[in-house]
Amino acid sequence: MDDAQWQKVSIMLEEIRLPYRVHAIDITKDEQFTPAFLKIAPSNKIPAIVDTDTGLHLMESDAILLYLAEKTGKLWPQDFPVKWRVVEAGGANGRPGALSRVGPPLVRFNPGKSPYAEERWCWTGA
């Protein structure tokens, strides 16, 4: 599968030099809906990981990247104010995830349609 989401996690694991094993999930055969995979990722999302040190199950590439960075102390600032600036610089403004990429364009292309959306997505905290 040629998908940037799992590639990001694979690259991260290589960069921080953590050992890992890849288990291919064939979505053309609905393997993401098997009980074994749903135990790891209840929303059937790929990529997903199991930390064999802690038993923690994680899905969603950005959550996995942050977890691995926190766990190893690599590729992520250790000082909280600096961490927050990294999150802000990433464009999420404290709201990591898909909505941070969807909300601003919705407001930009539909001005005046929703005061709530404009306040939520356009306020910069300055």
Side-chain angles (χ1 to χ4, degrees):
M1 181 188 316
D2 187 23
D3 178 58
Q5 301 310 312
W6 71 263
Q7 289 174 350
K8 290 191 299 187
V9 173
S10 181
I11 291 167
M12 175 72 164
L13 287 163
E14 290 292 327
E15 288 295 320
I16 61 177
R17 293 189 167 90
L18 275 180
Y20 65 98
R21 288 176 291 158
V22 174
H23 300 273
I25 302 296
D26 188 343
I27 62 172
T28 66
K29 295 179 181 174
D30 289 338
E31 290 179 359
Q32 74 273 28
F33 299 110
T34 63
F37 187 76
L38 290 173
K39 189 175 182 181
I40 296 167
S43 67
N44 69 51
K45 300 287 186 191
I46 299 170
I49 67 167
V50 175
D51 183 334
T52 56
D53 293 335
T54 65
L56 181 69
H57 298 184
L58 277 171
M59 59 194 156
E60 302 290 345
S61 60
D62 290 341
I64 294 168
L65 295 176
L66 288 173
Y67 173 77
L68 293 172
E70 283 285 326
K71 176 180 176 160
T72 62
K74 297 178 180 176
L75 303 176
W76 183 241
Q78 297 306 301
D79 181 48
F80 181 77
V82 175
K83 286 180 186 181
W84 184 249
R85 286 194 295 274
V86 170
V87 170
E88 286 184 312
N93 294 322
R95 294 179 294 274
L99 289 178
S100 67
R101 293 183 293 275
V102 173
L106 288 175
V107 171
R108 184 179 326 121
F109 297 115
N110 297 285
K113 298 286 183 181
S114 172
Y116 169 79
E118 289 180 8
E119 180 180 331
R120 177 165 174 82
W121 298 111
C122 297
W123 184 75
T124 62

